[in-house]
Amino acid sequence: MTSMEFIKTYKFIGILRHISPAVAADTVRAMYEGGVRIFEVTFNPSLASTVADTQAIIRTVKELYGDSVSVGAGTVISEDFARAAHEAGAEFIVSPCTKESVIAYTKANGMLAIPGAYTPTEILHAYEMGADIVKIFPVAPHEIGYLKNVMSPLSHIPFIPTGGINPDTVDAFLNTGAVAVAAGATIVTKELAEGGCFEKITENARLHTEIARRHTVDNQ
């Protein structure tokens, strides 16, 4: 499947943020056992080793699960980050903002572009710049009404909300018409991963993915 097909099928992206390469394999296995099939590995711009770390984790995901998963990079705020992600095998690029050079590089290299935006003007701008999907960010758990109001006149634009997703909100956010949702901290944190709490990570992942699976393409 293509990354877009993965997203439309599984409806959920599991985010790996602040996870070190040392515990990445066990963390990824735990998330996979919990039903995650789409992984977003985020850069940390404040960390000097972020390029090497992010590339290592992207490669770990693909080495473990190959074509049975889709893996991309998050917090891609520069073309250099996009290039590093592509070299590691990333299939989609997620950003917290809209940057034309990042979208252009992403599209030119056959990856799915998912830039971030929040207001109607920003969302439309991102789509016109070539976004395949727009990441609506940041979205708080109580902002489902905002999301419905904003996307109603922009219903032709595929979107993914990020920021307020937890087991209690997955269903409601997907009911807004989102193609998928994404969550990280409600599944895995640095503390859980480094503490070896992999069964807890699996449990957290399953709480999200079981709800998301109810919204497959076949049910729409």
Side-chain angles (χ1 to χ4, degrees):
M1 290 192 288
T2 65
S3 289
M4 181 66 88
E5 288 169 338
F6 265 98
I7 289 169
K8 288 183 175 181
T9 299
Y10 291 101
K11 299 288 187 181
F12 183 80
I13 300 172
I15 302 172
L16 288 148
R17 181 179 290 110
H18 303 313
I19 305 301
S20 75
V23 295
D26 286 334
T27 302
V28 169
R29 289 190 190 98
M31 293 171 68
Y32 186 90
E33 289 176 9
V36 175
R37 295 297 181 268
I38 310 165
F39 294 84
E40 175 189 331
V41 184
T42 68
F43 286 93
N44 180 355
S46 64
L47 191 65
S49 62
T50 192
V51 168
D53 290 350
T54 303
Q55 287 184 317
I57 297 171
I58 290 171
R59 291 184 176 118
T60 292
V61 175
K62 292 306 288 186
E63 287 167 3
L64 285 172
Y65 296 112
D67 292 339
S68 67
V69 300
S70 181
V71 60
T75 317
V76 180
I77 58 173
S78 69
E79 190 175 332
D80 287 342
F81 279 5
R83 183 178 297 106
H86 179 249
E87 290 171 354
E91 298 155 350
F92 60 89
I93 295 295
V94 183
S95 304
C97 54
T98 297
K99 192 167 184 178
E100 188 172 359
S101 61
V102 170
I103 295 174
Y105 182 89
T106 299
K107 303 286 284 185
N109 287 277
M111 298 179 288
L112 201 69
I114 312 176
Y118 187 73
T119 69
T121 299
E122 292 169 351
I123 294 164
L124 183 60
H125 175 69
Y127 189 66
E128 290 177 341
M129 289 299 100
D132 296 292
I133 302 170
V134 177
K135 168 184 173 177
I136 312 300
F137 173 82
V139 180
H142 64 276
E143 291 186 311
I144 292 170
Y146 171 81
L147 198 59
K148 289 180 178 179
N149 289 335
V150 167
M151 295 312 298
S152 178
L154 301 174
S155 59
H156 62 296
I157 300 177
F159 68 96
I160 293 174
T162 305
I165 310 304
N166 59 58
D168 293 329
T169 63
V170 169
D171 193 58
F173 272 116
L174 285 172
N175 281 335
T176 66
V179 294
V181 295
T186 51
I187 295 177
V188 57
T189 61
K190 179 179 180 179
E191 292 73 23
L192 283 175
E194 293 185 354
C197 303
F198 301 114
E199 290 184 1
K200 177 62 174 174
I201 293 170
T202 296
E203 178 187 349
N204 289 345
R206 186 172 291 116
L207 289 173
H208 293 72
T209 61
E210 286 182 349
I211 299 169
R213 295 283 177 91
R214 301 173 193 162
H215 294 260
T216 62
V217 173
D218 291 338
N219 292 329
Q220 292 181 354

